[in-house]
Amino acid sequence: ASMMLQLPLVVTAQVDLVLVLVSVLAFWTRLSGLSYPGAVVFDEVYYGQFVSLYVKRAFFLDDSGPPLGHMILALGAHLGGFDGNFAWNRIGAEYPSSVCVWSLRLLPAVCGSLCVPLVYLLTLELKFSHLSAVGAAVLLLLENALIVQSRFMLLESVLIFFVLLAFFSYLRFHNGPHSSWSRYAWLLLSGVSCGAAVGVKYMGLFSYLLLVGVASLHTWSLIGNRTVSHVSSERGVCLLVVPVLLYVFWFYVHLNLLSLSGPHDQLMSPAFQASLQGGLSRITRGQPLEVAYGSQVTLRSSASQPIACWLHSHKANYPIRYESGRGSSHQQQVTCYPFKDVNNWWIIKDPSRQELVVGCPPRPVRHGDVVQLVHGMTSRFLNSHDVAAPMSPHAQEVSGYIDFNVSMPSQNLWRVEVSNREAESDVWKTILSEVRLVHVNTSAVLKLSGAALPDWAFRQLEVVAERAAAASGGSLLWTVEEHRYGTSEEQKEREAELHSPTHIDVDRKISFWAKFLELQWKMLTVKQEESEHKYSSAPFEWITMETNIAYWLHASNNAQIHLIGNPVSWGVAIFSLLTYQLLAGVYLLRRRRGLKDLSDTAWRRFVCLGCVCVGGWWMNFLPFLLMEKTLFLYHYLPALCYLHLLIKQCLGVASVLLAVVWSYQTFSPLTYGRPELSANQLRALRWRDSWDVLYRRR
């Protein structure tokens, strides 16, 4: 008999009402009144610039971290219809009515809200009671600093969300039954979350390494268990391969989105710049690919960072004597100039011929060829000789040769060495080739020294020729950036030609991997100038919250927002850290002597808690002690979250939670910026003399 469908259909579901409650409260504390204040708050002035560039699809370089966090912020802006037309030039600037402030701040607030239920679930996966999970969730829920950081267009809440999700997913996998293949979805989610955490900020790398370490210990303990197959392979794929692939993927999306020329083009190589629409690609579109005898070129130094500069000469000579008393050749100055200029043009000449035009067909210059370089506007030959350079006396002077009849013959032959030549071709190519120009007479290499010349050279950068044995690095390499085939022999006609572009259709592309690797290198080497900030602080000041940050102050009254943590939970957090480490030391000594205060199950749970929470705190705090960069209180927030997981396990006292609630309520006017407080009320909230609480007298 066929089976009949039984009616009615009944679905039974289990709902953790406590989880629902803490989730609702989290969204309420983070999302309510999200559009207030309607002005730029602290680092929104920094991240907002990148959001605008994403919306306009203009290329930028942020040396502080990977692109995923910026892309998440840009997604929120896009959802609100933001067109990128806002000048992010000062903190406190009012947003116009056309900007949906709520959408700019939405995704960080959502991530910050989800952190609270994640802490609840993570505590359960650490094998602690529901009561402990509630306590940990309440601590995170009422942490004023985390609320502030979640309610604005900032990235810490996004980072913390992915870190907590990675640990929860991994522990859910680890604690699941070995016979269930569905648990590998949790392992994959953990790997994806790790890739996302590192993709938001490099700070996520600290927690990622901790998770990999915990997973390695678990894997080692399972290796001897023959009932478990594929012990390490799936962990290796999900926790090592997946995060790396995702890291590359974030940059793939980033580079595909930012296809237009932007404010940081000149930090990149000419090949990279030419791949962007507008900017250099507009100038170089249609240039000849192969450099030939008679080519007119501009030569950009590959080491001109963070500002690009081009080989340059002008109608001014080196002084007869320098300030130090040393003499010079008094020949025409050759420098590196950081601006586009007609005096940056040079002509590649065949030493055996007189003509300065490209023949028909063009004769390409190849690796190993000897050439002369003639300055386009003055017709001086690029020259070097045994005369000390003005700022780098250990190197040779480089000049535009002038014959003064003083027994100083010209030495103007240069050998072209294409350092990145292809196996199938040794031709010198526009934009793609990096070349060294070796002085034939002395074997010295044309080099940007980087030293600024005095006023007599208009503060331009020094170019020298340095002996090959002492020379090294990118400062020796030069790239043809702008290029045309010369057609004019007469000087006047040539000068007019140098002022006009050429148009020959040549398609020139650079691969994603070349752009990816160059971008990684620039992020490591091109550093923005670090300056002391009023609210910068040292890591040890974070532990006891010696410092705060004034995020926003109303233009006409005492309403203000500060990054100040919940003083009670902040203090109890460090106390619980010390308590755990003391207990761990005592337990270890007693177990060494054969005295077991905890059962094996309780001991494993205690160790796991220490690995995740105490290890997480150290991994996210210790690196900042070694960093030489401007640091702020918000850098401590990921480490603090680990301690909030620890507090309830070390100090399970209801009175602590009541004190946390009272402290949260006390400081909420500085968390949300309302209600406005009087000067006396603000003074009462200045619990530490080092806090910078602002108020207006009335």
Side-chain angles (χ1 to χ4, degrees):
S2 60
M3 295 184 63
M4 299 296 293
L5 183 66
Q6 299 294 318
L7 297 175
L9 294 176
V10 178
V11 176
T12 303
Q14 289 184 327
V15 178
D16 188 335
L17 293 179
V18 175
L19 177 61
V20 172
L21 178 61
V22 296
S23 300
V24 170
L25 291 174
F27 278 97
W28 179 74
T29 55
R30 270 74 174 170
L31 267 71
S32 61
L34 199 59
S35 297
Y36 179 84
V40 178
V41 174
F42 201 63
D43 270 355
E44 285 186 338
V45 75
Y46 173 75
Y47 291 113
Q49 299 173 51
F50 300 131
V51 168
S52 287
L53 291 170
Y54 263 120
V55 172
K56 295 180 177 181
R57 305 194 66 176
F59 175 78
F60 66 86
L61 173 67
D62 177 21
D63 65 341
S64 67
L68 178 60
H70 298 318
M71 289 192 286
I72 290 173
L73 298 181
L75 174 61
H78 174 72
L79 294 175
F82 181 55
D83 60 5
N85 293 319
F86 179 74
W88 305 90
N89 51 14
R90 65 180 180 88
I91 298 171
E94 293 289 329
Y95 289 112
S97 58
S98 59
V99 175
C100 180
V101 180
W102 188 81
S103 75
L104 291 178
R105 298 168 177 169
L106 175 62
L107 294 182
V110 169
C111 289
S113 303
L114 292 174
C115 288
V116 177
L118 272 176
V119 161
Y120 176 87
L121 295 170
L122 180 54
T123 305
L124 295 179
E125 292 301 326
L126 287 168
K127 303 297 186 182
F128 288 93
S129 67
H130 280 79
L131 191 60
S132 294
V134 171
V138 169
L139 288 169
L140 207 74
L141 173 71
L142 302 180
E143 175 49 62
N144 299 68
L146 290 173
I147 295 173
V148 170
Q149 206 68 13
S150 299
R151 288 174 55 83
F152 301 109
M153 193 173 56
L154 308 171
L155 288 180
E156 276 63 36
S157 63
V158 183
L159 169 64
I160 293 169
F161 165 72
F162 283 121
V163 166
L164 293 175
L165 182 60
F167 272 97
F168 164 68
S169 303
Y170 173 74
L171 290 176
R172 191 68 180 263
F173 157 78
H174 176 69
N175 295 332
H178 292 291
S179 59
S180 172
W181 281 94
S182 62
R183 74 191 188 109
Y184 289 102
W186 289 109
L187 182 63
L188 179 61
L189 178 58
S190 179
V192 170
S193 301
C194 288
V198 177
V200 170
K201 277 196 163 190
Y202 282 132
M203 286 170 58
L205 186 63
F206 307 147
S207 293
Y208 170 57
L209 293 175
L210 174 66
L211 190 145
V212 169
V214 171
S216 299
L217 291 175
H218 288 161
T219 303
W220 181 256
S221 67
L222 290 173
I223 285 178
N225 187 348
R226 297 188 177 184
T227 63
V228 180
S229 60
H230 307 291
V231 169
S232 58
S233 59
E234 71 278 358
R235 287 174 171 82
V237 170
C238 292
L239 299 182
L240 298 177
V241 177
V242 168
V244 171
L245 292 177
L246 280 175
Y247 179 81
V248 175
F249 178 70
W250 308 140
F251 281 94
Y252 179 81
V253 176
H254 172 75
L255 291 170
N256 275 276
L257 286 174
L258 305 185
S259 58
L260 304 180
S261 174
H264 299 154
D265 288 12
Q266 289 196 349
L267 297 176
M268 311 308 293
S269 69
F272 194 109
Q273 292 182 55
S275 71
L276 302 171
Q277 298 175 35
L280 181 63
S281 69
R282 185 177 66 252
I283 297 171
T284 61
R285 185 182 296 117
Q287 290 187 153
L289 178 62
E290 296 184 345
V291 177
Y293 291 104
S295 285
Q296 299 169 354
V297 301
T298 62
L299 289 163
R300 171 177 151 154
S301 170
S302 297
S304 48
Q305 305 297 345
I307 300 173
C309 75
W310 293 265
L311 190 66
H312 177 93
S313 189
H314 43 241
K315 290 183 178 179
N317 295 355
Y318 290 110
I320 296 176
R321 290 201 175 274
Y322 301 126
E323 292 83 347
S324 63
R326 289 188 296 110
S328 79
S329 67
H330 195 47
Q331 293 180 3
Q332 185 167 296
Q333 298 170 14
V334 172
T335 65
C336 207
Y337 188 50
F339 299 98
K340 300 283 187 181
D341 188 87
V342 71
N343 280 311
N344 296 346
W345 285 93
W346 298 82
I347 302 168
I348 309 298
K349 180 181 176 297
D350 184 343
S352 64
R353 301 190 182 188
Q354 292 301 314
E355 59 265 19
L356 295 177
V357 297
V358 175
C360 186
R363 293 187 300 123
V365 180
R366 302 180 182 277
H367 173 75
D369 285 357
V370 174
V371 302
Q372 293 171 311
L373 284 87
V374 182
H375 188 240
M377 297 300 291
T378 64
S379 297
R380 300 295 183 191
F381 284 75
L382 186 70
N383 187 80
S384 187
H385 37 221
D386 192 17
V387 175
M391 309 303 294
S392 307
H394 62 280
Q396 294 174 189
E397 176 192 86
V398 175
S399 65
Y401 183 73
I402 303 174
D403 187 0
F404 290 121
N405 291 318
V406 289
S407 301
M408 188 177 284
S410 63
Q411 299 182 36
N412 53 29
L413 298 179
W414 300 85
R415 185 171 62 255
V416 175
E417 294 184 354
V418 183
S419 64
N420 61 341
R421 62 188 179 278
E422 302 166 353
E424 67 276 7
S425 173
D426 58 358
V427 174
W428 185 2
K429 294 180 179 178
T430 307
I431 290 179
L432 302 178
S433 296
E434 291 185 326
V435 304
R436 298 198 324 164
L437 294 170
V438 181
H439 191 234
V440 172
N441 296 79
T442 63
S443 298
V445 184
L446 189 71
K447 176 183 178 181
L448 170 68
S449 76
L453 293 164
D455 290 339
W456 50 257
F458 315 105
R459 312 300 297 179
Q460 294 175 16
L461 301 179
E462 181 188 46
V463 172
V464 302
E466 190 167 283
R467 297 300 173 108
S472 62
S475 57
L476 307 172
L477 299 175
W478 301 84
T479 301
V480 170
E481 190 172 89
E482 296 181 64
H483 176 209
R484 63 168 64 84
Y485 282 166
T487 59
S488 302
E489 284 281 9
E490 297 298 324
Q491 178 66 20
K492 291 295 183 183
E493 294 176 2
R494 189 161 58 243
E495 289 180 13
E497 186 178 24
L498 291 173
H499 282 91
S500 62
T502 58
H503 299 281
I504 304 173
D505 291 330
V506 176
D507 187 27
R508 191 176 293 106
K509 293 183 178 179
I510 180 174
S511 70
F512 160 72
W513 288 107
K515 294 174 75 173
F516 171 77
L517 293 174
E518 180 177 345
L519 195 54
Q520 302 306 299
W521 177 248
K522 298 296 182 185
M523 290 171 66
L524 290 172
T525 57
V526 177
K527 293 298 179 185
Q528 310 278 337
E529 263 190 47
E530 294 283 347
S531 58
E532 192 66 27
H533 193 282
K534 177 182 180 181
Y535 291 110
S536 62
S537 52
F540 282 115
E541 294 178 301
W542 305 338
I543 297 176
T544 53
M545 205 161 54
E546 292 281 345
T547 182
N548 71 307
I549 304 176
Y551 268 17
W552 171 80
L553 175 66
H554 195 281
S556 58
N557 60 44
N558 277 329
Q560 54 194 280
I561 295 174
H562 289 256
L563 185 69
I564 292 180
N566 187 313
V568 174
S569 64
W570 209 285
V572 174
I574 194 63
F575 182 74
S576 64
L577 175 67
L578 297 174
T579 301
Y580 179 92
Q581 292 177 118
L582 178 62
L583 286 173
V586 171
Y587 287 157
L588 282 170
L589 286 173
R590 290 176 61 81
R591 289 178 75 86
R592 182 66 176 168
R593 295 178 62 85
L595 303 171
K596 294 187 177 181
D597 302 288
L598 300 174
S599 66
D600 289 342
T601 301
W603 173 249
R604 284 194 295 270
R605 187 174 64 182
F606 182 81
V607 171
C608 184
L609 179 71
C611 288
V612 174
C613 300
V614 178
W617 185 86
W618 279 109
M619 286 292 289
N620 283 272
F621 178 76
L622 190 61
F624 290 108
L625 298 176
L626 310 176
M627 291 184 185
E628 295 182 359
K629 60 175 288 185
T630 304
L631 300 174
F632 296 92
L633 182 62
Y634 56 71
H635 286 120
Y636 184 61
L637 295 181
L640 181 68
C641 288
Y642 287 101
L643 294 190
H644 283 341
L645 285 166
L646 187 66
I647 290 175
K648 196 67 179 79
Q649 325 315 328
C650 293
L651 301 169
V653 184
S655 58
V656 171
L657 291 181
L658 291 175
V660 167
V661 173
W662 170 80
S663 179
Y664 159 77
Q665 190 64 36
T666 301
F667 283 89
S668 62
L670 298 183
T671 301
Y672 296 97
R674 50 190 175 188
E676 177 196 354
L677 301 181
S678 67
N680 288 333
Q681 289 173 313
L682 288 169
R683 273 195 291 268
L685 289 179
R686 193 181 177 191
W687 286 16
R688 304 192 74 106
D689 292 337
S690 55
W691 287 0
D692 186 22
V693 178
L694 313 170
Y695 55 87
R696 291 182 172 87
R697 300 180 186 275
R698 299 199 176 175

